[in-house]
Amino acid sequence: MGWKVLVNAYDHKQFNSPNDVIVDRQGNIYFSDPKFGLLGSGQPATQDGGFVYRDNPKTKQVVRLNTPLLKSPNGLALSPDEKTLYIADSQLAYNPSNSYLKHQILAYTISTDKNLHNERVFAVITPGFPDGIKVDLQGNPWVSDGHGIQIFNPRGKMLGEIIVPQVVSNLAFDSKTPSLFITSDSKLYMFNLKP
């Protein structure tokens, strides 16, 4: 079985460099499309900024989500009830020495019509900038940062941090074990979690 392209353009223009993807229980596909995937490639950006999109494979409709605070979308995650969308804003990746660039998690309330409302800064991530995000069954976002994983409660209060020797890019839960897997520059880490 070969590849099947679900969507490759918005407004008749190709995406910049699609990055992260999540799927809700209705089958809607959310994906981020930053420009930093083009850095060093010599290719110009085709979209006029970095955005998050939602694709409905049933209707083949692609919607650019309304995220005015967002500068450079990266990781995505949904709350367990799928009423909140978390987006990593990794603008700092363009120039790590410029601390004025965004390095935060934004949160959005998803209405019944699938539109986003109540845009807010959920947490500022330091050191480094956020990349991957996952939400546990209790609704706590786990976010990669410059030296590990930061864990927050659903109100944005930091609960703790797992520090690893390398810069972390992403993470994933294995609910059967239960375990946490963390990817870094050159290693894969696994942590056993208490059930």
Side-chain angles (χ1 to χ4, degrees), residues 76-181:
L76 305 172
L78 288 166
S79 60
D81 62 7
E82 298 191 345
K83 292 182 179 179
T84 303
L85 173 66
Y86 298 99
I87 304 175
D89 191 344
S90 303
Q91 187 188 28
L92 186 61
Y94 290 101
N95 182 359
S97 64
N98 184 351
S99 61
Y100 291 101
L101 298 179
K102 303 298 183 186
H103 48 105
Q104 61 194 9
I105 300 294
L106 299 175
Y108 300 83
T109 301
I110 303 174
S111 61
T112 53
D113 61 4
K114 295 296 180 187
N115 288 320
L116 301 185
H117 302 280
N118 190 25
E119 182 180 49
R120 59 212 182 265
V121 175
F122 176 77
V124 175
I125 304 301
T126 187
F129 50 85
D131 192 339
I133 312 171
K134 296 294 181 285
V135 178
D136 64 25
L137 295 176
Q138 288 72 44
N140 301 312
W142 297 50
V143 182
S144 65
D145 67 10
H147 63 198
I149 303 292
Q150 294 181 11
I151 303 129
F152 298 88
N153 71 13
R155 293 173 300 285
K157 178 183 178 183
M158 187 171 167
L159 302 176
E161 185 174 24
I162 300 170
I163 297 175
V164 298
Q166 295 183 327
V167 174
V168 170
S169 54
N170 221 322
L171 65 150
F173 292 115
D174 176 3
S175 58
K176 295 177 183 176
T177 316
S179 300
L180 171 69
F181 293 90

